[in-house]
Amino acid sequence: MILLKFVVRPHHVVSLGGYIVERNFPYRNVILANKSDEPIKAEIPVFDESWIAEHRNLGLDVILVGEEDSFLSLFKKAKSDVDLIKPKESI
């Protein structure tokens, strides 16, 4: 089994829909929000539910998108939550 990692930049939100490979995984998509000031490495692909707790322990907000959920609404909410704590860039 080959595991890859990618970096979730500080104060960013990403979707992992294309990286879920387990046929019986109970969610159709996973949204990761990094609210910290540091980059966090996430393992891909997502194989099972143990992945969720492992990445929450790294400090990522893991938002699970079920069949009945609106991906766009959940993504926009996560982005809004990150933007509220994102440091303002100086001009």
Side-chain angles (χ1 to χ4, degrees):
M1 167 177 22
I2 297 175
L3 290 179
L4 303 172
K5 291 189 179 198
F6 75 91
V7 176
V8 182
R9 295 181 352 194
H11 307 289
H12 276 78
V13 180
V14 296
S15 166
L16 296 182
Y19 295 105
I20 298 172
V21 296
E22 175 53 48
R23 178 183 259 176
N24 296 322
F25 193 69
Y27 306 100
R28 65 182 170 104
N29 206 331
V30 177
I31 299 167
L32 297 180
N34 182 359
K35 294 180 180 177
S36 75
D37 295 329
E38 298 293 325
I40 298 176
K41 290 181 185 177
E43 284 188 356
I44 52 173
V46 179
F47 286 108
D48 56 39
E49 291 183 72
S50 66
W51 183 96
I52 298 166
E54 292 169 10
H55 286 76
R56 283 182 173 152
N57 290 339
L58 292 175
L60 292 168
D61 283 359
V62 179
I63 301 148
L64 306 168
V65 183
E67 289 298 324
E68 302 299 319
D69 295 327
S70 167
F71 166 77
L72 189 56
S73 293
L74 291 172
F75 191 90
K76 285 182 176 180
K77 180 171 181 345
K79 177 85 171 99
S80 175
D81 290 346
V82 167
D83 287 345
L84 285 175
I85 62 167
K86 188 175 187 177
K88 305 291 183 221
E89 295 182 32
S90 56
I91 299 176

